[in-house]
Amino acid sequence: MSVPTVTVPAPGSAGTSSYRADQSSGGEASGARGGRVLVLEGTGPGTPADHLDREFDVAVRLRGPVDPELLPDLLAHYRPRLLLLKDSLDIIDLRLIAACRAYQIPILVLARPVYGLFRPARLRRYGGLPWFQLRPGPGIPGDVRAKRVLDLLLIVLAAPVLIPLLLLVGTAVAMTGPPLYLQTRVGAGGRPFKLVKFRTMHVDAESSTGPTLATADDSRITRLGRILRRTRLDELPQLWNVLRGEMSLVGPRPERPEFIGDFHQLPDYHLRHLSRPGLTGIAQLTGGYAATVEEKLRCDLLYLHCRSLRLDLTLLMLTVVELCRGFPRG
């Protein structure tokens, strides 16, 4: 199939700008039941083939990085019902999201194996492949309130089990020094707060090194601290942060302000601050301490685009399972 050049007006100019794309063989005459769609093809070697032409009028298939400045003109020109993304979530930024929202065009992303945390009911099957819809933005106010109510309700229901456990772990840690450790983290809106957790490292562990990211085999971690980290029991005092409204049970992991400056160089890192950070989440469940900053960010952006109360409950149930298994990923 030939690859013609689709020409659309360039924003803010009197001329035109060329855009390379694969035109659908069906076109307008296909009369597909699902309506017209625009497909952003994957650039990696493992991108699967699809049969979207059998279900939709595939107006155009774009290959390579999409220029966000040209995207509004493409959407205005083709007026698709859906934008289907077969590429990585890395290419999504605020400009792409804003352009689709302006034309009320939902974005569906090709589901990959790492997204197996979602129940099949959240996935749609088009062209022989599974897709899920993004939910960009800071969240609907009603959903935010419902999430807060869910956090408080679950803590109250679990209090008879949590309080004795907190006392037991705190007493064990206190045998070698202060049981609790306060650390400044960055929360929703980029606002700092004091995160509280059980101490897992030697007292004054950073006195000689300064702020340093923890690793899976960190020599500063005590023997008891390794057990607490493996079971994530060191995180239990953060329930106080949840009660104060600084954190949620589920959300992106809060980072230290000393590292945020470097992390902001990553595309769309600031989107993590659209919601309250969480005790658990996709990044915490799939990566552990060995995950890179980029891997954690990808998981956090995935959560932000798909979050719902149902997803939160799913992640919380998976967290309970991992607690029983001892978090094999470290």
Side-chain angles (χ1 to χ4, degrees), residues 229-294:
R229 281 177 173 248
R230 185 78 175 187
T231 57
R232 300 302 193 267
L233 291 177
D234 63 316
E235 312 282 359
L236 283 179
Q238 291 166 40
L239 292 171
W240 173 247
N241 296 115
V242 176
L243 290 173
R244 286 172 54 89
E246 298 162 332
M247 293 182 62
S248 178
L249 291 178
V250 181
R253 187 72 186 138
E255 293 291 354
R256 300 174 65 177
E258 294 88 350
F259 307 124
I260 292 293
D262 294 332
F263 295 165
H264 269 303
Q265 298 175 8
L266 300 174
D268 299 325
Y269 186 85
H270 62 283
L271 295 180
R272 298 176 76 257
H273 300 146
L274 288 176
S275 67
R276 291 188 182 98
L279 268 171
T280 189
I282 299 176
Q284 296 92 311
L285 288 169
T286 61
Y289 291 104
T292 65
V293 176
E294 291 82 3

Side-chain angles (χ1 to χ4, degrees), residues 160-226:
V161 175
L162 292 175
I163 292 176
L165 186 58
L166 283 163
L167 293 174
L168 178 63
V169 175
T171 301
V173 178
M175 296 177 66
T176 60
L180 297 177
Y181 181 70
L182 298 178
Q183 193 175 68
T184 301
R185 298 292 179 99
V186 179
R191 294 182 293 273
F193 69 97
K194 290 293 185 180
L195 178 142
V196 57
K197 60 187 299 186
F198 284 126
R199 180 178 54 83
T200 59
M201 294 187 178
H202 298 289
V203 178
D204 297 327
E206 292 187 336
S207 59
S208 59
T209 62
T212 306
L213 285 172
T215 60
D217 299 318
D218 202 311
S219 61
R220 301 169 298 170
I221 302 175
T222 64
R223 182 176 300 179
L224 176 59
R226 293 191 185 281

Side-chain angles (χ1 to χ4, degrees), residues 32-161:
R33 295 188 304 273
R36 174 178 287 183
V37 298
L38 189 150
V39 181
L40 302 184
E41 290 285 2
T43 55
T47 304
D50 63 67
H51 303 290
L52 293 170
D53 304 80
R54 300 177 182 176
E55 301 179 39
F56 296 100
D57 168 18
V58 180
V60 67
R61 292 176 181 265
L62 302 177
R63 296 187 181 276
V66 179
D67 185 348
E69 300 296 332
L70 290 177
L71 188 59
D73 294 303
L74 289 170
L75 298 179
H77 180 77
Y78 290 107
R79 292 286 181 175
R81 173 193 165 197
L82 299 172
L83 186 146
L84 301 175
L85 175 66
K86 295 180 67 177
D87 210 335
S88 168
L89 281 170
D90 296 339
I91 75 166
I92 296 176
D93 63 13
L94 287 176
R95 291 175 295 179
L96 185 149
I97 293 172
C100 289
R101 292 185 70 178
Y103 290 96
Q104 298 183 334
I105 300 171
I107 304 174
L108 270 65
V109 175
L110 178 64
R112 300 177 184 274
V114 71
Y115 309 150
L117 292 169
F118 303 107
R119 296 181 181 180
R122 286 196 59 82
L123 300 179
R124 308 179 188 182
R125 197 162 190 86
Y126 296 138
L129 298 174
W131 308 80
F132 66 88
Q133 183 173 342
L134 299 189
R135 296 187 62 198
I140 301 171
D143 291 346
V144 174
R145 289 191 292 269
K147 180 179 175 71
R148 178 65 177 156
V149 171
L150 177 65
D151 286 344
L152 297 176
L153 178 62
L154 291 178
I155 290 176
V156 170
L157 293 176
V161 175

